[in-house]
């Protein structure tokens, strides 16, 4: 069991890295064709055409991604432990476990403790190729930890603190204990238009669209892809 879990971790990490090259264009069409020829796709997700219609990826990209996902994770799902180990490799100088936990929950749209290929691809499609509105809505749901449709100061503080923990010694400027709270207070002052102590989706989107710096700060997931 431990060997299978380790293989899955390594496989999903390779999958993400291959996906980065697909998105950036450094993985060429010929390379994609070569990779498809090297390994036969023994399993295909049902409704591949539906996934193509629902995401911003081509059928060929979905085939490459699915092949890697299934070959390395035969169970077809990624659990939270695996997800955390993947993020630990991206951020070796900090503690990524808490942020990875929140990110995992955002991908786990069925809330069953695992991420299926379809959920993984749908999330990545939104974050990497979606509209600005799509990305902001996804990010809002990441911050809405208790999923009540609002972001509280406590929820935003938890996420911001998790990001500082993840960045570790590379956090700049040097982190002091009250920095996350200061950032959250500044964000809330701009976002909470009606001063009711919580931020709605529309308040969140509007504030980010009006402030480019806030937009970059809120769309945190893109910075680690």
């Amino acid at each position: 069991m431990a060997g299978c879990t380790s293989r899955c971790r390594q496989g999903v990490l390779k999958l993400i890295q291959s996906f980065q090259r697909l998105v950036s264009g450094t993985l060429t069409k010929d390379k994609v064709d070569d990779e498809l020829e090297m390994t036969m796709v023994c399993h295909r997700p049902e409704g591949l055409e539906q996934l193509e219609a629902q995401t911003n990826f081509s059928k060929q990209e979905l085939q490459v991604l699915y092949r890697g996902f299934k070959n390395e994770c035969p169970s077809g799902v990624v659990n939270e432990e695996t997800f955390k180990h993947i993020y630990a490799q991206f951020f070796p100088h900090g503690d990524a476990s808490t942020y990875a936990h929140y990110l995992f929950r955002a991908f786990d749209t069925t809330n069953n403790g695992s991420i299926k290929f379809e959920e993984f691809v749908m999330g990545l499609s939104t974050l990497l190729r979606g509209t600005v509105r799509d990305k902001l809505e996804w990010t809002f749901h990441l911050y809405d930890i208790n999923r009540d449709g609002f972001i509280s100061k406590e929820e935003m503080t938890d996420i911001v603190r998790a990001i500082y923990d993840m960045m570790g010694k590379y956090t700049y400027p040097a982190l002091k204990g009250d920095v996350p709270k200061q950032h959250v207070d500044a964000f809330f002052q701009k976002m909470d238009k009606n001063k009711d102590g919580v931020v709605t989706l529309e308040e969140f989107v509007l504030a980010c669209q009006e402030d480019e710096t806030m937009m970059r700060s809120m769309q945190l997931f893109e910075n680690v892809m």
Side-chain angles (χ1 to χ4, degrees):
M1 180 68 70
C4 291
T5 302
S6 177
R7 182 187 176 199
C8 186
R9 290 173 192 157
Q10 295 168 2
V12 176
L13 183 58
K14 288 190 292 183
L15 174 64
I16 291 175
Q17 292 168 339
S18 294
F19 187 82
Q20 289 173 311
R21 289 182 289 144
L22 270 172
V23 173
S24 66
T26 56
L27 185 61
T28 65
K29 182 179 184 299
D30 289 341
K31 180 64 174 176
V32 172
D33 291 339
D34 289 344
E35 290 199 0
L36 282 170
E37 291 172 3
M38 284 172 61
T39 306
M40 292 294 292
V41 181
C42 299
H43 304 278
R44 294 180 61 180
E46 293 185 9
L48 187 61
E49 290 76 14
Q50 183 178 358
L51 262 183
E52 183 182 5
Q54 292 176 333
T55 67
N56 297 307
F57 304 131
S58 69
K59 185 175 181 179
Q60 188 178 49
E61 289 172 330
L62 289 169
Q63 287 174 327
V64 172
L65 291 169
Y66 185 70
R67 188 211 61 213
F69 197 91
K70 283 293 287 185
N71 281 353
E72 303 299 342
C73 291
S75 66
V77 298
V78 177
N79 62 27
E80 185 171 341
E81 179 188 3
T82 295
F83 201 80
K84 286 181 177 180
H85 278 275
I86 291 169
Y87 261 77
Q89 294 181 61
F90 279 116
F91 298 94
H93 300 289
D95 180 1
S97 60
T98 303
Y99 183 67
H101 165 72
Y102 293 134
L103 198 60
F104 179 88
R105 291 182 74 253
F107 272 101
D108 179 17
T109 55
T110 56
N111 198 29
N112 66 353
S114 63
I115 300 173
K116 296 188 298 184
F117 174 75
E118 290 82 358
E119 292 174 306
F120 186 64
V121 168
M122 291 287 286
L124 288 179
S125 174
T126 298
L127 289 163
L128 299 178
R129 293 183 179 175
T131 65
V132 170
R133 172 82 188 199
D134 290 340
K135 293 177 181 180
L136 288 174
E137 287 185 4
W138 197 97
T139 306
F140 177 89
H141 293 304
L142 169 67
Y143 279 80
D144 179 17
I145 296 173
N146 67 3
R147 299 178 178 176
D148 66 351
F150 303 95
I151 300 175
S152 67
K153 272 192 177 184
E154 291 75 16
E155 287 174 319
M156 186 173 287
T157 300
D158 287 344
I159 297 287
V160 171
R161 195 175 299 280
I163 292 162
Y164 273 109
D165 289 343
M166 177 175 65
M167 298 307 294
K169 69 179 184 180
Y170 289 113
T171 301
Y172 184 83
L175 175 62
K176 296 180 181 179
D178 59 348
V179 169
K181 182 179 182 302
Q182 291 174 359
H183 282 182
V184 170
D185 287 344
F187 288 149
F188 251 76
Q189 187 173 0
K190 295 180 179 180
M191 289 184 178
D192 186 12
K193 301 293 187 182
N194 62 0
K195 307 302 179 186
D196 64 351
V198 294
V199 173
T200 65
L201 173 60
E202 291 306 319
E203 286 176 327
F204 181 84
V205 171
L206 181 62
C208 289
Q209 289 177 333
E210 290 178 345
D211 189 322
E212 186 176 345
T213 300
M214 187 177 294
M215 174 86 77
R216 289 196 300 268
S217 297
M218 290 295 104
Q219 290 183 306
L220 296 159
F221 183 80
E222 292 182 89
N223 296 330
V224 300
M225 284 303 297

